[in-house]
Amino acid sequence: MADPAHLHQVLQNLLDNAIKYNRKGGSVRIHGRRLPDGFALVSISDTGIGIYEEDLPLLFQQFH
């Protein structure tokens, strides 16, 4: 169960970042499936450079 507005915001942010930080001519892939336990699995991947290792500790801090 998820709040539709918050879920939409999270997915929109992930997609925006995948596009914004991708390389020119890169691609963004979205994959989703329903799991047997009723949960959903959604993955978004892109061909950008990724996150620098020194920035990983900041990953889940607001506004980073």
Side-chain angles (χ1 to χ4, degrees):
M1 293 176 33
D3 178 294
H6 286 118
L7 179 59
H8 180 268
Q9 181 180 4
V10 167
L11 293 174
Q12 185 69 50
N13 287 345
L14 288 171
L15 286 170
D16 286 347
N17 286 340
I19 294 167
K20 181 177 179 180
Y21 297 107
N22 208 339
R23 61 183 169 83
K24 186 174 183 171
S27 63
V28 175
R29 294 178 184 225
I30 304 166
H31 178 78
R33 67 183 171 111
R34 180 174 284 185
L35 301 176
D37 58 6
F39 284 88
L41 176 66
V42 177
S43 64
I44 300 171
S45 61
D46 63 69
T47 55
I49 62 169
I51 299 171
Y52 296 113
E53 191 162 344
E54 61 267 19
D55 291 335
L56 287 175
L58 305 173
L59 186 61
F60 295 107
Q61 292 185 14
Q62 258 187 333
F63 308 111
H64 279 83

